[in-house]
């Protein structure tokens, strides 16, 4: 009889699939491992939130843990997981050495979410009013930490093929340590569009994004200052509804109903809101990874306009479900055209379905992930032997992080 395999996920936060794409991504990973018979424990040092998912409903054990505390050592030793999945590199830095010390045979997987060093370097270039260059990554402080974390793990899940290319060609990371895993959704048929609200049943432009994420706040500022005035001038009846979890005071201050610019706050059901909207606006100026809001728009049959950064790595060579435009004046013109032209709108909807079916099929990736995990479980020794740089980093980081953590723990007593 096959022994049930145990997966420990160490979360940066508790999953909030209705608040962010990262929360949705985590639930997709939980679903894949659950369907393949893994017993899952989700541990986090984060505070509980009002919007976190009830993990017990998904058959997942919830465990609160502490940072810089040997209580984690006792917990992980007793659990003795076969696989440990770190949610973002900062979590691997915190807990990786403890996992190695107490459960050396456990397979260590890193879910990067997106490349933090890419997002940080782009944001820096944007704020310094210069063009981002790939070589900026090589001097980025966070890159040294993030790449070290990827090298220390047995496998890292990479959400964007653009980021896969950076890791392989700029940082020279061995392909055996990387697995391309985009967002995963079910196939969608064109006929399903008839079940969604029609062109005439929809109204308003919409933007949705978690405001704890700096690129989203910047996008809303850009909409308000550079794009919305042009849309409003040529299309006076236009209304934009901006939704997002955790809006700060500076976000709420942009609320201007007389100008058709509404800050709506948290979306109770983002899906329903996007389905009732006619066009998604997402003029994203910096960031990394894939944009969950744009994939969600496609699933809701809602065309979108975004930038080259927004659409990066999202559609292979397929036509976008709307427009990709970096120039604010052109962005505004195309937004109005997409909103008013029913034929263009319907064609954009169909483009979205093609993108979903070619780029994000669950069946194309989930079996490969499980198969790769099982082959690592069967022969981790050989895999690790060939990852000399990872072993070297493990050796040094293990010592430095361990002593720093033990020092903090003593200090906290």
């Amino acid at each position: 009889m096959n022994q049930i395999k145990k997966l420990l996920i160490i979360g940066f936060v508790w999953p909030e699939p209705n608040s962010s794409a990262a929360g949705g991504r985590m639930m997709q990973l939980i679903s894949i491992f659950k369907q393949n018979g893994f017993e899952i424990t989700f541990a986090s040092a984060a505070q509980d939130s009002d919007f976190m998912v009830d993990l017990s409903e998904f058959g997942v054990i919830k465990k609160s843990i502490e940072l810089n505390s040997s209580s984690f050592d006792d917990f992980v030793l007793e659990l003795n997981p076969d696989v440990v999945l770190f949610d973002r590199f900062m979590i691997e830095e915190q807990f990786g050495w403890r996992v190695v010390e107490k459960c050396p045979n456990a397979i260590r997987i890193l879910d990067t979410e997106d490349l933090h060093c890419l997002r940080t370097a782009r944001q820096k270039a944007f704020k310094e009013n210069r063009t981002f260059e790939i070589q900026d990554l090589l001097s980025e402080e966070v890159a040294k930490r993030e790449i070290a974390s990827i090298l220390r793990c047995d496998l890292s899940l990479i959400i964007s093929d653009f980021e896969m290319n950076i890791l392989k060609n700029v940082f020279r990371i061995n392909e055996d340590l990387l697995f391309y895993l985009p967002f995963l959704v079910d196939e969608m048929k064109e006929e399903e569009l008839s079940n969604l609200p029609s062109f005439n049943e929809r109204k308003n432009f919409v933007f949705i994004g978690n405001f704890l994420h700096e690129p989203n706040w910047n996008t809303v500022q850009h909409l308000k200052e550079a794009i919305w005035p042009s849309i409003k001038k040529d299309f006076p009846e236009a209304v934009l509804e901006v939704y997002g979890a955790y809006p700060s005071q500076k976000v709420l201050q942009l609320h201007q109903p007389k100008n058709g610019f509404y800050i709506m706050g948290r979306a109770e059901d983002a899906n329903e809101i996007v389905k009732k909207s006619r066009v998604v606006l997402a003029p994203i100026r910096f960031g990394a990874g894939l944009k969950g809001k744009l994939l969600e728009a496609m699933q809701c049959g809602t065309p979108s306009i975004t930038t080259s950064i927004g659409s990066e790595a999202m559609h292979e060579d397929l036509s976008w479900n709307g427009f990709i435009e970096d120039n604010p004046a052109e962005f505004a013109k195309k937004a109005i055209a997409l909103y008013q032209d029913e034929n263009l709108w319907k064609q954009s909807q169909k483009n979205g379905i093609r993108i979903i079916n070619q780029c994000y099929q669950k069946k194309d990736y989930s079996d490969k992930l499980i198969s790769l995990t099982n082959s690592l479980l069967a022969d981790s020794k050989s895999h690790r032997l060939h990852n000399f740089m990872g072993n070297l980093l493990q050796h040094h980081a293990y010592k430095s992080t361990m002593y720093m953590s033990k020092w903090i723990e003593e200090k906290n007593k």
Side-chain angles (χ1 to χ4, degrees), residues 18-227:
N18 294 330
S19 301
S20 70
R25 158 83 158 185
M26 181 51 74
M27 295 313 293
Q28 287 171 5
L29 289 172
I30 285 172
S31 160
I32 291 170
F33 282 101
K34 197 75 193 158
Q35 282 165 11
N36 284 276
F38 279 77
E39 182 185 282
I40 304 176
T41 301
F42 193 105
S44 179
Q47 296 290 313
D48 284 9
S49 85
D50 294 340
F51 305 103
M52 62 194 253
V53 81
D54 182 355
L55 290 165
S56 64
E57 285 183 12
F58 298 87
V60 174
I61 300 158
K62 175 179 180 285
K63 170 74 179 171
S64 288
I65 53 176
E66 289 177 53
L67 294 172
N68 303 305
S69 168
S70 53
S71 60
F72 176 84
D73 303 349
D74 301 332
F75 154 70
V76 81
L77 192 59
E78 188 182 341
L79 182 67
N80 193 22
D82 300 282
V83 181
V84 177
L85 189 147
F86 303 103
D87 170 26
R88 297 167 237 211
F89 80 90
M90 303 82 86
I91 292 298
E92 187 278 336
E93 284 182 329
Q94 277 286 346
F95 295 100
W97 66 271
R98 293 184 184 274
V99 170
V100 170
E101 187 179 58
K102 300 299 173 188
C103 304
N105 297 324
I107 297 304
R108 300 183 299 278
I109 300 177
L110 172 64
D111 184 30
T112 56
E113 291 291 353
D114 61 26
L115 274 189
H116 291 60
C117 59
L118 177 62
R119 181 164 15 119
T120 308
R122 276 182 170 157
Q123 187 169 335
K124 207 173 275 182
F126 173 80
K127 294 207 162 149
E128 292 167 5
N129 201 19
R130 60 179 172 79
T131 305
F132 163 76
E133 305 281 350
I134 283 289
Q135 60 260 34
D136 291 349
L137 293 169
L138 297 172
S139 56
E140 189 53 56
E141 192 58 38
V142 76
K144 297 175 178 70
R145 293 169 54 201
E146 189 166 26
I147 299 306
S149 183
I150 288 170
L151 285 166
R152 284 193 297 265
C153 288
D154 297 307
L155 190 68
S156 288
L157 309 180
I158 312 300
I159 203 166
S160 141
D161 58 8
F162 180 78
E163 294 177 6
M164 278 291 274
N165 289 329
I166 285 175
L167 291 169
K168 288 190 284 193
N169 302 321
V170 178
F171 293 111
R172 308 287 181 201
I173 292 180
N174 186 328
E175 219 166 328
D176 291 348
L177 299 176
L178 308 172
F179 181 66
Y180 171 57
L181 190 72
F183 291 126
L184 302 178
V185 298
D186 293 318
E187 192 177 353
M188 195 171 172
K189 296 193 164 47
E190 252 181 49
E191 307 84 85
E192 290 178 51
L193 290 174
S194 60
N195 303 328
L196 295 168
S198 67
F199 177 83
N200 289 318
E201 288 169 330
R202 297 170 181 244
K203 62 176 188 179
N204 301 342
F205 294 100
V206 72
F207 172 82
I208 295 195
N210 184 325
F211 287 109
L212 295 178
H213 192 53
E214 180 69 21
N216 288 332
W217 157 237
N218 182 272
T219 297
V220 174
Q221 277 181 299
H222 187 47
L223 270 169
K224 183 79 165 64
E225 293 160 12
I227 293 168

Side-chain angles (χ1 to χ4, degrees), residues 290-352:
L290 300 181
K291 312 300 174 285
K293 61 178 76 60
L294 296 176
L295 179 59
E296 179 179 53
M298 295 176 207
Q299 291 178 286
C300 294
T302 311
S304 67
I305 306 191
T306 189
T307 55
S308 45
I309 291 271
S311 65
E312 180 180 273
M314 284 203 68
H315 61 120
E316 292 180 2
D317 55 355
L318 299 172
S319 298
W320 189 250
N321 75 316
F323 292 108
I324 298 166
E325 182 56 66
D326 292 323
N327 177 285
E330 284 301 311
F331 191 104
K333 275 185 202 164
K334 286 176 176 167
I336 295 169
L338 192 53
Y339 193 96
Q340 295 178 338
D341 184 334
E342 188 171 355
N343 290 332
L344 176 62
W345 188 87
K346 284 181 171 172
Q347 184 53 52
S348 298
Q349 261 194 336
K350 289 175 185 170
N351 291 351

